Structures are given as C-alpha cells and as structure tokens.
C-alpha cells in the first residue's frame, strides 16, 4: 500500500480547484512527501477535550447525546461516548442513523465537514451535503473483521465509516458506485478523502485496500512511536 501525504502546495491546489483533483486506483496521484510535511498541515483535536469535557457538544455545534461509558471485552469501549445524529453549522449534515463516537471523532468530523466537505461540495457540485450514510461506528471487533488482528478503532468509538453522501437536491453519491468515475462526483469523493488526512490519523477509501471498496474509513488512532503518523490511502 502507498502512503500518500499532502504538501502545502498540494493543499492549496485542493482548496482552490478541487474539481481537477484525481486520485489513486488508476488515477494520477498527488505528490508524495515526507511525513514531517504532512504533520505541519495536521489539524489536531481541541486540547481541552477530556472524558469530562467535550466543547463541541457543550456549545451545541453537533446534535449528540451523551451515552453511558462502554466497558467492553478485549479492550473495547469508551469512557465518554456520544450518539451523534447530526453536525451543525451553516450547512448542517444529518446522519441516516446515530453514530456512536467519542469526543475526538465527533469534533474532528464537525471541523472536517465545516471546513472541507461542505465548501468542496458547493464548489464542485453546486450544492451542500445534507446527509451521510453511516456504514459503521462503534463495534467491538478486530481490524477488517479479521480474526487475530489488532483491535479496530471502531472498538474504541474512535472511528466512523461513511458509504454515501446525499446532496441538497436529493442526489446520492455512493462510494461504491461513484468513487472511480471521471466526473464531478468521483473527483469530489477522492478530493474529500485526501483532505481528510489533515483531520484524521487514518483515512482509507477504495484506493487503499480490498476492505474499503464501498466506504471511506476515518479514525483517530495512534500510529508510530509518537502516535502522530498519518495513514492516508
């Protein structure tokens, strides 16, 4: 698998002209650069987040309900999970079903959609996203459901899988059907997948591996000795 990162020059190109971006899986890829450069572009979670405090929820920026702590087997669980049903902001985004995620994931999702997904949707597709299809959130299982694999970040309420995006006019973009298309829909999906690498430490779409052909996986797990390495596929 090829780890892909984003330079400041590449980032500017994404923000200014997302409709021209192509991606992996048979498409022209972005320039590969050292991890250190990607780290300089990384947008980290609010430092005030804790098991007792979640600013994004307290301020009402998301529609989320605090859930009891989850104490699962095999290391699964979360001290302070939330049932998230929508992201607020100028262009709100509803979830087709509640996603159980921790405060870090909830906060990063809000920022990612507000700062990247919605501006790109309006610029590339002419309208905002109004709903996402949640393929998975909390689930106590190993990575890729492979027996003997490490615990998935889904098992920590630290991940979400998104399989489709519904636009304001009712148009539905599915990752499975539209990712590889050489049109605005495909370019939009590949663009937001790449930009997600600034907000999440793991981003895997159809260009990553066989387990992610019908959804985009986002999580904030720890990679590398310092826990800051970003997997962008």
């Amino acid at each position: 698998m090829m780890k892909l990162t984003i330079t400041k020059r590449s980032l500017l190109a994404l923000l200014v002209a997302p409709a021209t971006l192509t991606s992996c899986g048979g498409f022209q890829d972005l320039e590969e650069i050292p991890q250190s450069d990607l780290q300089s572009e990384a947008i980290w979670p609010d430092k005030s987040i804790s098991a007792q405090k979640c600013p994004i929820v307290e301020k009402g920026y998301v529609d989320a309900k605090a859930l009891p702590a989850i104490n699962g087997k095999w290391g699964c669980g979360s001290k302070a999970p939330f049932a998230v049903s929508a992201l607020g902001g100028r262009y709100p985004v509803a979830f087709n079903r509640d996603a159980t995620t921790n405060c870090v994931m909830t906060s990063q999702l809000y920022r990612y959609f507000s700062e990247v997904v919605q501006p790109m949707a309006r610029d590339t597709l002419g309208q905002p996203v109004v709903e996402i299809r949640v393929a998975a959130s909390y689930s106590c299982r190993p990575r890729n459901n492979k027996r003997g694999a490490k615990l998935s970040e889904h098992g920590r309420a630290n991940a979400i899988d998104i399989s489709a995006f519904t636009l304001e006019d009712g148009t539905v973009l599915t990752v499975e059907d539209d990712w590889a298309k050489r049109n605005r829909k495909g370019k939009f999906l590949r663009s937001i997948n790449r930009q997600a690498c600034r907000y999440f430490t793991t981003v895997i779409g159809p260009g990553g591996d066989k387990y992610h052909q019908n959804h985009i996986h986002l999580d904030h797990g720890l990679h590398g000795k310092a826990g800051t390495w970003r997997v962008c596929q």
Side-chain angles (χ1 to χ4, degrees):
M1 297 179 190
M2 180 169 59
K3 293 185 175 66
L4 301 170
T5 53
I6 303 173
T7 62
K8 292 180 179 179
R9 181 178 299 175
S10 300
L11 177 58
L12 180 60
L14 285 172
L15 294 173
V16 174
T20 64
L21 180 67
T22 53
S23 178
C24 47
F27 296 87
Q28 181 182 352
D29 289 319
L30 292 177
E31 174 188 4
E32 285 189 83
I33 61 166
Q35 260 292 314
S36 57
D37 290 347
L38 176 57
Q39 296 306 328
S40 69
E41 303 289 356
I43 296 175
W44 294 96
D46 188 335
K47 293 182 179 179
S48 66
I49 291 174
S50 67
Q52 293 76 38
K53 185 176 182 181
C54 188
I56 203 77
V57 175
E58 294 171 2
K59 294 177 181 178
Y61 293 156
V62 299
D63 188 352
K65 178 182 178 181
L67 298 173
I70 301 172
N71 298 305
K73 298 180 180 179
W74 308 297
C76 290
S78 174
K79 293 181 179 179
F82 293 89
V84 185
S85 58
L87 306 175
R90 184 176 181 183
Y91 300 101
V93 180
F95 291 11
N96 72 314
R97 60 188 175 99
D98 288 358
T100 300
T101 57
N102 60 26
C103 183
V104 167
M105 280 300 298
T106 302
S107 299
Q108 293 299 86
L109 280 169
Y110 170 79
R111 296 166 76 178
Y112 169 56
F113 270 81
S114 297
E115 299 170 14
V116 172
V117 177
Q118 296 294 43
M120 280 192 173
R122 296 181 70 239
D123 289 345
T124 307
L125 304 170
Q127 55 187 311
V129 172
V130 296
E131 183 182 81
I132 61 171
R133 187 178 302 163
V134 178
S137 56
Y138 175 76
S139 177
C140 185
R141 61 174 175 79
R143 293 179 184 175
N144 301 317
N145 284 305
K146 293 181 65 176
R147 185 174 182 178
K150 292 182 178 180
L151 178 66
S152 169
E153 290 301 315
H154 284 287
R156 299 185 174 95
N158 199 33
I160 189 171
D161 291 345
I162 302 174
S163 61
F165 301 78
T166 301
L167 304 181
E168 191 173 47
D169 68 357
T171 299
V172 178
L173 283 67
T174 68
V175 175
E176 184 171 29
D177 294 334
D178 295 306
W179 175 274
K181 291 181 178 178
R182 295 179 180 273
N183 59 15
R184 291 183 298 169
K185 292 180 180 180
K187 291 174 181 178
F188 167 73
L189 292 175
R190 297 190 299 271
S191 295
I192 62 172
N193 185 80
R194 294 302 183 79
Q195 282 279 34
C197 300
R198 299 169 59 214
Y199 296 81
F200 305 94
T201 56
T202 311
V203 178
I204 309 176
D209 59 39
K210 66 180 181 180
Y211 301 105
H212 298 84
Q213 295 304 300
N214 62 359
H215 66 275
I216 295 173
H217 170 90
L218 307 172
D219 76 46
H220 220 283
L222 303 179
H223 303 297
K225 293 182 179 179
T228 60
W229 185 276
R230 297 196 170 218
V231 177
C232 182
Q233 300 174 337

